[in-house]
């Protein structure tokens, strides 16, 4: 981020924060259906560090949210917070905790994102900043879980083949048998050469029950893959050739 852009964000931060908290108050003013929660995640708006948005296709993220809601999750872990849109959705579904991890410092967003759970919910949103590939960061996640397993893991961080594979291998063991693991941008046709999730997804489909949520078969980018974790645990793919 340029010095000028960073300075501009700092100056505008109080205004962006007021707008974001006002929007959150509107969101919490009435009970929301799952469809409404997804719509809010996509159109919450805001600016600077206080912008909330999910970069998903509506039909794909809705189908994923429905699948996650069906297992009545207690704990959700996501790798890749970005603008917090998916965290808003997970906070409406988890009964206990949402642990959201990102490479960037999220201290400015924490006061807003921590208030994502709806009124009356016992869910807590925990933001962890750091490199998910760092063993010490994995230990921080383990510390937050305190021996408990997660019901759903959403991997939407490093999209390179090596990066997404590392995140899967490092965090799959935290997911309970019968739980779910999802990946974003699974389609082979991607607008960015660094979006390489397809290569991991192709291997995983051979090793566990999966579903794909894709709006159009010939679309460029997007696509969500959902892996149903077997009773013996999520399968390894490390060292498996194409």
């Amino acid at each position: 981020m340029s010095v000028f852009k960073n300075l501009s964000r700092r100056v505008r931060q109080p205004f962006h924060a007021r707008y974001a908290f006002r929007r959150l108050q509107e969101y919490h003013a009435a009970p929301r259906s799952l469809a409404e929660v997804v719509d809010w995640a996509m159109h919450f708006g805001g600016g600077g560090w206080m912008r909330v948005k999910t970069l998903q296709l509506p039909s794909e993220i809705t189908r994923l949210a429905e699948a996650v809601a069906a297992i009545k999750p207690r704990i959700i872990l996501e790798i890749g917070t970005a603008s917090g849109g998916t965290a808003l959705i997970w906070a409406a579904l988890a009964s206990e905790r949402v642990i959201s991890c990102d490479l960037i410092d999220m201290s400015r967003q924490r006061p807003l994102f921590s208030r994502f759970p709806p009124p009356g919910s016992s869910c807590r949103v925990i933001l962890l900043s750091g490199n998910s590939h760092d063993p010490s960061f994995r230990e921080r996640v383990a510390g937050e879980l305190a021996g408990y397993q997660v019901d759903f893991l959403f991997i939407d961080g490093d999209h390179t083949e090596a990066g997404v594979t590392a995140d899967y291998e490092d965090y799959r063991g935290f997911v309970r048998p019968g739980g779910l693991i999802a990946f974003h941008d699974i389609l082979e046709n991607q607008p960015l050469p660094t979006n390489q999730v397809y290569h991991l997804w192709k291997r995983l489909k051979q090793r566990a029950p999966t579903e794909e949520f894709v709006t159009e078969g010939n679309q460029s980018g997007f696509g969500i893959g959902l892996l149903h974790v077997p009773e013996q645990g999520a399968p390894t793919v490390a060292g498996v050739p194409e």
Side-chain angles (χ1 to χ4, degrees):
M1 183 184 299
S2 68
V3 174
F4 176 78
K5 187 174 182 180
N6 193 41
L7 177 61
S8 176
R9 280 192 169 188
R10 288 179 182 275
V11 171
R12 295 171 182 268
Q13 173 69 1
F15 304 99
H16 291 157
R18 281 198 291 272
Y19 175 83
F21 278 106
R22 186 166 63 247
R23 286 287 286 165
L24 190 62
Q25 187 175 26
E26 294 173 12
Y27 169 68
H28 286 324
R32 301 293 176 185
S33 67
L34 186 54
E36 288 177 316
V37 170
V38 171
D39 188 66
W40 270 87
M42 302 198 72
H43 302 103
F44 191 101
W49 291 298
M50 307 305 281
R51 179 172 179 260
V52 177
K53 185 175 179 62
T54 181
L55 300 175
Q56 317 280 340
L57 294 183
S59 64
E60 294 176 1
I61 191 62
T62 298
R63 291 174 66 190
L64 175 61
E66 290 170 347
V68 175
I71 66 170
K72 296 180 170 43
R74 292 172 51 247
I75 303 174
I76 292 175
L77 170 65
E78 75 169 354
I79 307 298
T81 309
S83 296
T86 50
L88 183 72
I89 298 171
W90 311 146
L93 300 180
S95 62
E96 185 177 320
R97 268 173 291 175
V98 172
I99 303 174
S100 187
C101 310
D102 205 278
L103 189 62
I104 67 169
D105 175 16
M106 295 184 289
S107 57
R108 295 180 181 86
Q109 295 94 323
R110 185 169 286 109
L112 177 69
F113 290 11
S114 65
R115 290 173 173 80
F116 278 174
S121 172
S122 298
C123 179
R124 293 185 298 122
V125 175
I126 300 162
L127 301 180
L128 297 181
S129 298
N131 188 338
S132 62
H133 305 323
D134 189 330
S136 65
F137 188 86
R138 185 183 183 281
E139 290 305 310
R140 288 173 61 194
V141 173
E144 289 291 347
L145 289 171
Y148 291 96
Q149 290 186 295
V150 308
D151 302 283
F152 170 55
L153 167 62
F154 186 49
I155 299 179
D156 191 18
D158 187 338
H159 279 48
T160 65
E161 182 178 5
V164 69
T165 301
D167 281 337
Y168 173 74
E169 291 292 350
D170 287 343
Y171 297 94
R172 66 183 175 86
F174 290 136
V175 186
R176 67 168 173 83
L180 302 172
I181 302 175
F183 304 84
H184 191 221
D185 293 314
I186 61 164
L187 295 183
E188 184 175 13
N189 182 20
Q190 292 289 332
L192 299 175
T194 52
N195 283 2
Q196 301 164 355
V197 180
Y198 167 79
H199 301 290
L200 170 64
W201 181 244
K202 183 171 65 173
R203 301 200 302 269
L204 282 174
K205 288 195 296 182
Q206 303 170 12
R207 289 164 173 75
T210 59
E211 296 180 71
E212 293 185 357
F213 305 139
V214 179
T215 302
E216 298 178 7
N218 62 346
Q219 73 191 39
S220 174
F222 299 99
I224 294 175
L226 182 65
L227 183 149
H228 294 259
V229 178
E231 287 304 314
Q232 65 269 29
T236 183
V237 292
V240 177
E242 285 290 337

